[in-house]
Amino acid sequence: MGFNGSGTYITWYTIDNPSPKRCFRESEIHGNEGVGALMSLFWIVIRQLAEIEAMATSKKVITREEWEKKLNDVKIRKEDMNKLVMNFLVTEGYVDAAEKFRMESGTEPDIDLATIMDRMAVKKAVQCGNVEDAIEKVNDLNPEILDTNPQLFFHLQQQRLIELIRNGKVEEALEFAQEELAPRGEENQGFLEELERTVALLAFEDVSNCPVGNLLDISQRLKTASEVNAAILTSQSHEKGTYVCCQPY
Amino acid sequence: MPTASSTTATAAGTNTSVTATSGILQRLSSTDQDVKFKALRELKNQIIGNRTKKLSFLKLGAGPAVAAILAEAVMADDGDRNDSFNKNVIVQAAAVLGSFACGFDVGVQAVLDAGVFPNLLRLLSNLNEKVVDAGARSLKMIYQSKLAPKYDFLKEKNVEFLLSLLNSENENVSGLGSSIITHSCKTSVEQKLLFDAGVLKKLIILLEGSPSLRDSSLESLATIFKNNLEVVSKFVGSESGRALSSIIELVKDRFARTRLLASWCLIVIRNTSPCYLQDIAVKTKLTNTVLELVGDPGQVGDEASFAFSSLIAEKEDMQKLAFEINAIDKLYSHLQKDSLHPRRFEGILLALADMCSKLECCRSRFLSLQALDSVIVALAHDSADVRTAACICLRSVSRSIKNLSAGCFMKETVVFPLVRLLDDPSTSVQVAALGVISNIVVDFTTRRSSFIRCGGVKQLVQLSKSMDATIRLNALWALRNLTFQAENKCKERVFMELTASLLASLICDPEAFVQEQALALVRNLVDGCINSVECVFAEDGIILDAVGRQLQSALKVEIGIQGMYVLSNVATGKEFHKEAVMKQLLRYAETGTQSYIVKFLQSNDSRLRTAAVWAIVNLTSSLGAGASGRVVKLRDAGVLRVRTAVGQFSAFDVGST
């Protein structure tokens, strides 16, 4: 649901500055009002951007200085900024920080902070490569998540396969691919292609130099972990808007 | 990985899984509670997200096994309410059953057959939140299927229970409440009952909840609104429309599914009564949103095109609005994508069909995009639904008189695949293909020969003998249009294929709407030069006799109209032809029965009076040698007196024909 990495995302540098430095690529913002609906802060930025666009008949590259200047002119309400910070802390699972921030700023999170621990446990399990463990944890939290989200389920199973291949368990990997992943590939052409790419890892002696070697990168784990994180968050969310999905790459 | 190797590998892998599967099942019936619990949890983790495994476990009898565990645990819970291990067993068992029922009917049936329903319901009143969650989730899964038992709202206790569900703090429980409504509320009595019980107000409050709760509330709202003017008008008027605005607001939601469901809600309201949601900004936003959702790669996109159709179907103002925001171009761009899912393909074709159903500007845009080519390709699609949709789309586009006149459709590339569809195994495809053919054979040039050359007439005649009345109707319709102002050669060809006896029997078809089309076809066949009149006299005039008989017993005004035009066309012929018509008109006069012509001349329907007057005019026109004799006969039969009376007030009808 938009968290699959292909959607619009925002790269964060720091949030310690009252007017945070962010890097927007113009093409990413263009036409994506949905992001703006998050908070009034984004609305302001986008309105400014719209003004800039209106001035230029064709697409125009904004220099960093210009951008900074525009941002500095934006007036941000303190509460909005606090909400944004809380949102970030909750999304990324900084429970202690969120708790402290709640006490100091009086900003209430939209979610029970206790649920963050469960979510973080799942995320960590994926990040460490214990995918099976992560799947069991998600199913304990809410069995609906993986039953109603075929794409996420496939990506977790794919990650399991990648871990088996990484650990040199070729026999087991093959059996797993046949039994668990092949039927999903039959249901969905996209999954089949991803499965083929993954199984291709087995064909190379030196996986670090093969065309699909990036599947073994840590970034693949992070991507899967972030997808699970987002899905759990959505299932727990009571907020009308949404949480910003931050992807560090 | 080549597909072939993966297939063989799957077969090999299945063996190990069968052993593992039966191992879990064995442990489920273990007397050791711990072993049993672990097996239950393992089963849950095996089947979640994996339909293949659900099926294989169900085949081995996992449904009754888990149902038995649940029943035992529920009973034990009554004995000892603090047994947390037992509560865990309940949670796992309910989760397994819910997963079996998730998203496919085979699973729902198996779970229902295992008799778990009452036990799952009991879980809702448990004191433990996790047990309640698990029970509500599983029931929700069951209620998302058509197979779920109907919930009887007419029982007072049931409405009370439903309200208690909707009032629950637990989102899974309130979500279950709205799933029950979506599943079981069907009649206007039920809609009204739920409205009076205050269900709508609750649902509006639930819109503030989590995304999934919001979605299920929107679905329930649409269910309660559907075609119920009373409920809709009360809802729209309540709290000065604040509730309505909250739905409008959700059309801009971040989640695609929510946007779609909110849009559906508004579409249902609008279709119930067009006087609501007239605000141009709302209409535009709605149209834009639904159109944009058609591009969603998932299930939302598949459903969005149907929502779009529902939004614009039969509504010229909405079609115009959609046209102005480039709907044709956008829909067409989705059509061009590779390997479209059949359901999506069908939806987009139907949406284009609705866009082109009324407005010429839409049709010209469609044709200028060369979209016709893609639709012609779709005529040969594997899915019957897609083929039908492609035909319906072509039918809408071919309503364009301008392009018909230019012969845009009477081309081999269009006609050949259509004629091939007349042989289609699916009746709905045949009917849809006949619909397009009916349009494109109304050709104002002489290109009809290409249709005849590819065997089109033979096929149509064949279908006019179908056992299915709808196919007979549409085949005759196509033939009728084919012979509309056609050159003699074409008409002769059609008549030769049809034969007089078949036409006569079609005129006497058991279905009135088939009779009407058959008469209309004869009317077109005998229109024009004198030679063509001859055909009704073939085989001792059985056609003319059949026409006369139908006119005497005509149940529908339309049958009278078409029949009278047949007679008036024949009456333009020679003396012999005119006399034959006279014979038909006065056939019953001798027996003392009133002739139908008298009845028609006195009819309230001006179309019928006009048709009848035309026949008399042609018979008594002074150009004919026997005209004065016929006038006498008609006067004797009491027809002409009537005619004079009618003539005074229906002269303008005749003039305008």
Side-chain angles (χ1 to χ4, degrees):
Chain A
M1 283 279 228
F3 290 106
N4 55 8
S6 62
T8 307
Y9 57 84
I10 296 157
T11 316
W12 297 78
Y13 287 114
T14 56
I15 53 160
D16 54 357
N17 192 315
S19 58
K21 291 174 199 153
R22 257 162 294 144
C23 169
F24 287 121
R25 267 189 289 134
E26 194 185 6
S27 61
E28 286 176 343
I29 297 291
H30 178 71
N32 270 298
E33 287 178 55
V35 179
L38 288 180
M39 342 230 117
S40 49
L41 164 69
F42 287 173
W43 275 117
I44 296 163
V45 175
I46 277 161
R47 212 171 299 135
Q48 301 251 331
L49 197 76
E51 276 168 29
I52 298 166
E53 274 187 33
M55 280 186 286
T57 42
S58 62
K59 276 207 173 174
K60 166 182 148 187
V61 179
I62 306 160
T63 64
R64 190 177 180 87
E65 290 71 35
E66 258 181 284
W67 182 248
E68 297 281 330
K69 194 176 161 295
K70 286 277 172 199
L71 274 182
N72 283 329
D73 290 345
V74 174
K75 299 273 181 292
I76 302 159
R77 291 198 311 157
K78 177 103 171 148
E79 303 90 271
D80 289 339
M81 184 46 79
N82 285 346
K83 270 188 99 167
L84 194 60
V85 171
M86 180 55 95
N87 188 301
F88 172 80
L89 295 175
V90 165
T91 311
E92 292 303 291
Y94 300 115
V95 190
D96 298 341
E99 183 59 35
K100 276 236 162 65
F101 188 68
R102 186 180 70 85
M103 290 192 301
E104 286 175 13
S105 70
T107 311
E108 284 300 324
D110 294 302
I111 212 165
D112 182 1
L113 288 179
T115 63
I116 296 179
M117 302 299 284
D118 299 328
R119 184 160 50 87
M120 283 309 113
V122 177
K123 194 176 168 187
K124 278 215 182 75
V126 179
Q127 281 170 347
C128 304
N130 301 327
V131 187
E132 198 174 350
D133 185 35
I135 291 178
E136 289 179 11
K137 283 193 161 82
V138 178
N139 288 344
D140 280 338
L141 274 178
N142 181 350
E144 268 175 79
I145 297 176
L146 295 184
D147 242 344
T148 54
N149 199 336
Q151 176 154 313
L152 173 63
F153 182 70
F154 177 82
H155 285 152
L156 279 170
Q157 298 287 54
Q158 180 193 26
Q159 192 64 45
R160 248 176 107 175
L161 177 63
I162 292 170
E163 300 305 336
L164 287 172
I165 296 173
R166 190 197 314 278
N167 297 330
K169 297 179 180 164
V170 177
E171 288 278 314
E172 218 180 306
L174 272 177
E175 196 180 313
F176 182 76
Q178 289 155 7
E179 203 181 303
E180 296 284 341
L181 289 161
R184 306 287 85 73
E186 280 170 29
E187 290 160 11
N188 183 313
Q189 181 65 29
F191 293 168
L192 185 65
E193 281 160 24
E194 283 191 65
L195 174 60
E196 286 172 353
R197 250 166 51 82
T198 315
V199 177
L201 282 173
L202 288 167
F204 294 94
E205 290 269 329
D206 177 16
V207 281
S208 56
N209 279 325
C210 81
V212 288
N214 61 339
L215 287 173
L216 288 172
D217 281 355
I218 192 76
S219 68
Q220 181 68 25
R221 275 187 186 172
L222 295 180
K223 205 167 116 187
T224 313
S226 141
E227 201 182 335
V228 186
N229 184 43
I232 302 176
L233 202 50
T234 306
S235 79
Q236 293 173 336
S237 163
H238 291 244
E239 194 210 12
K240 282 205 83 170
T242 183
Y243 287 89
V244 187
C245 182
C246 308
Q247 296 197 339
Y249 48 89
Chain B
M1 187 168 68
T3 329
S5 71
S6 84
T7 319
T8 45
T10 313
T14 320
N15 288 330
T16 38
S17 78
V18 167
T19 359
T21 310
S22 51
I24 293 181
L25 279 177
Q26 256 166 19
R27 278 180 283 135
L28 278 182
S29 52
S30 165
T31 44
D32 183 336
Q33 291 298 318
D34 214 36
V35 172
K36 203 198 281 191
F37 176 75
K38 281 197 178 128
L40 206 51
R41 195 158 176 271
E42 201 181 328
L43 174 58
K44 180 187 79 175
N45 288 321
Q46 290 268 332
I47 61 168
I48 285 181
N50 193 331
R51 190 170 290 201
T52 336
K53 284 204 174 157
K54 284 179 194 179
L55 267 176
S56 56
F57 273 110
L58 284 174
K59 269 191 199 142
L60 290 169
V66 179
I69 296 177
L70 178 70
E72 194 189 334
V74 168
M75 203 142 50
D77 191 61
D78 288 339
D80 178 5
R81 295 199 176 272
N82 297 317
D83 185 349
S84 63
F85 179 79
N86 191 48
K87 288 203 195 296
N88 274 335
V89 173
I90 296 181
V91 169
Q92 298 299 329
V96 170
L97 293 167
S99 179
F100 275 135
C102 178
F104 78 141
D105 284 345
V106 184
V108 175
Q109 194 59 57
V111 167
L112 288 172
D113 287 346
V116 296
F117 206 77
N119 277 328
L120 288 176
L121 269 179
R122 285 182 63 187
L123 301 186
L124 298 181
S125 49
N126 202 291
L127 295 174
N128 182 305
E129 192 74 359
K130 284 202 165 150
V131 172
V132 177
D133 268 336
R137 276 197 191 114
S138 298
L139 285 168
K140 207 166 61 183
M141 293 299 178
I142 294 174
Y143 270 110
Q144 272 161 12
S145 156
K146 283 191 207 86
L147 298 175
K150 185 173 157 53
Y151 191 87
D152 188 359
F153 299 108
L154 301 176
K155 286 190 190 146
E156 200 180 324
K157 279 262 156 54
N158 277 358
V159 176
E160 257 173 53
F161 180 67
L162 180 72
L163 281 173
S164 75
L165 294 181
L166 292 173
N167 278 327
S168 168
E169 286 286 313
N170 184 318
E171 290 213 340
N172 285 314
V173 177
S174 43
L176 169 64
S178 62
S179 295
I180 291 177
I181 296 173
T182 309
H183 173 272
S184 290
C185 178
K186 297 276 182 263
T187 66
S188 58
V189 176
E190 290 167 335
Q191 289 169 326
K192 181 77 194 337
L193 194 120
L194 292 179
F195 177 80
D196 290 340
V199 165
L200 280 194
K201 281 199 189 100
K202 298 276 175 242
L203 289 172
I204 294 292
I205 295 170
L206 296 185
L207 289 181
E208 306 280 327
S210 69
S212 72
L213 187 59
R214 210 162 52 203
D215 290 356
S216 63
S217 306
L218 283 168
E219 273 187 275
S220 310
L221 284 167
T223 312
I224 301 178
F225 291 147
K226 198 167 188 191
N227 296 330
N228 195 322
L229 187 58
E230 189 185 353
V231 169
V232 167
S233 55
K234 281 186 176 161
F235 171 80
V236 174
S238 68
E239 300 172 54
S240 55
R242 207 176 322 136
L244 181 65
S245 331
S246 60
I247 299 177
I248 294 175
E249 205 49 42
L250 287 175
V251 171
K252 303 173 203 155
D253 194 82
R254 200 189 82 98
F255 290 104
R257 176 133 207 98
T258 308
R259 287 204 298 278
L260 176 67
L261 292 171
S263 303
W264 258 125
C265 237
L266 296 184
I267 293 169
V268 166
I269 291 176
R270 227 189 107 79
N271 288 351
T272 303
S273 168
C275 65
Y276 299 121
L277 299 170
Q278 279 301 338
D279 179 6
I280 185 73
V282 175
K283 279 201 290 193
T284 313
K285 181 74 203 166
L286 181 60
T287 316
N288 250 323
T289 305
V290 180
L291 197 54
E292 171 219 347
L293 285 170
V294 176
D296 182 280
Q299 205 195 347
V300 169
D302 296 350
E303 290 169 28
S305 49
F306 291 91
F308 182 76
S309 281
S310 180
L311 174 68
I312 60 158
E314 306 293 327
K315 289 178 283 283
E316 220 173 288
D317 61 328
M318 293 307 288
Q319 289 166 14
K320 191 147 185 293
L321 199 153
F323 175 72
E324 279 159 9
I325 55 172
N326 287 329
I328 300 267
D329 294 55
K330 285 176 189 161
L331 289 169
Y332 177 56
S333 73
H334 296 310
L335 203 61
Q336 286 171 302
K337 284 177 194 146
D338 289 332
S339 60
L340 280 176
H341 187 275
R343 175 97 180 134
R344 170 171 301 231
F345 205 165
E346 182 197 358
I348 297 171
L349 286 169
L350 291 176
L352 281 167
D354 279 317
M355 278 301 291
C356 296
S357 64
K358 286 186 187 293
L359 298 174
E360 188 63 26
C361 58
C362 292
R363 295 175 198 137
S364 348
R365 184 67 199 147
F366 177 91
L367 289 168
S368 72
L369 287 170
Q370 313 284 318
L372 195 61
D373 298 343
S374 309
V375 180
I376 289 168
V377 171
L379 289 175
H381 198 274
D382 288 339
S383 151
D385 291 334
V386 173
R387 294 198 298 275
T388 308
C391 287
I392 295 174
C393 182
L394 273 181
R395 188 183 62 188
S396 282
V397 179
S398 62
R399 281 179 188 159
S400 162
I401 305 278
K402 195 176 100 196
N403 287 295
L404 271 179
S405 313
C408 276
F409 307 106
M410 208 34 128
K411 291 186 289 203
E412 291 188 352
T413 44
V414 185
V415 173
F416 280 24
L418 279 172
V419 170
R420 213 170 298 138
L421 288 184
L422 294 179
D423 265 337
D424 201 276
S426 151
T427 314
S428 60
V429 175
Q430 287 180 308
V431 171
L434 285 168
V436 196
I437 289 175
S438 294
N439 277 356
I440 62 172
V441 293
V442 184
D443 190 301
F444 302 98
T445 60
T446 50
R447 290 198 191 83
R448 280 168 166 137
S449 55
S450 72
F451 180 75
I452 298 172
R453 235 185 305 120
C454 73
V457 175
K458 262 203 173 67
Q459 288 273 16
L460 291 178
V461 170
Q462 202 56 37
L463 291 177
S464 69
K465 299 179 209 161
S466 164
M467 296 300 288
D468 187 321
T470 321
I471 292 194
R472 288 202 300 279
L473 164 76
N474 284 286
L476 284 173
W477 203 318
L479 285 168
R480 166 196 176 177
N481 285 354
L482 180 67
T483 51
F484 173 71
Q485 296 188 351
E487 66 272 33
N488 260 348
K489 226 168 66 191
C490 170
K491 285 199 267 189
E492 276 163 23
R493 182 63 192 263
V494 170
F495 187 69
M496 204 179 75
E497 289 287 347
L498 264 172
T499 70
S501 50
L502 175 60
L503 249 180
S505 72
L506 285 167
I507 291 171
C508 301
D509 195 275
E511 298 293 343
F513 53 82
V514 178
Q515 296 168 12
E516 183 196 339
Q517 289 306 324
L519 287 168
L521 168 59
V522 178
R523 171 186 169 182
N524 282 351
L525 281 174
V526 296
D527 172 49
C529 74
I530 288 200
N531 286 346
S532 55
V533 173
E534 286 295 337
C535 74
V536 293
F537 293 95
E539 296 186 36
D540 293 332
I542 52 170
I543 293 181
L544 200 59
D545 280 347
V547 174
R549 238 174 308 149
Q550 281 311 335
L551 283 173
Q552 183 62 28
S553 61
L555 299 170
K556 264 174 72 184
V557 174
E558 282 76 14
I559 291 177
I561 297 171
Q562 299 301 344
M564 281 322 292
Y565 276 117
V566 171
L567 293 186
S568 53
N569 279 352
V570 175
T572 58
K574 299 183 178 143
E575 280 302 299
F576 161 69
H577 301 135
K578 290 182 205 277
E579 284 306 322
V581 173
M582 283 297 290
K583 209 177 111 199
Q584 286 301 330
L585 287 182
L586 304 176
R587 198 154 128 194
Y588 300 93
E590 289 136 31
T591 57
T593 332
Q594 190 191 36
S595 172
Y596 49 84
I597 181 85
V598 179
K599 206 168 65 192
F600 292 168
L601 285 168
Q602 293 168 321
S603 161
N604 289 328
D605 192 308
S606 67
R607 295 171 303 160
L608 185 53
R609 288 201 305 272
T610 310
V613 169
W614 266 117
I616 308 283
V617 167
N618 287 343
L619 287 171
T620 56
S621 132
S622 52
L623 291 171
S628 54
R630 284 192 291 275
V631 170
V632 173
K633 275 191 201 161
L634 286 169
R635 190 183 296 140
D636 289 349
V639 177
L640 221 49
R641 182 173 42 83
V642 183
R643 189 214 154 186
T644 348
V646 172
Q648 287 166 353
F649 69 87
S650 68
F652 60 91
D653 288 346
V654 180
S656 68
T657 311

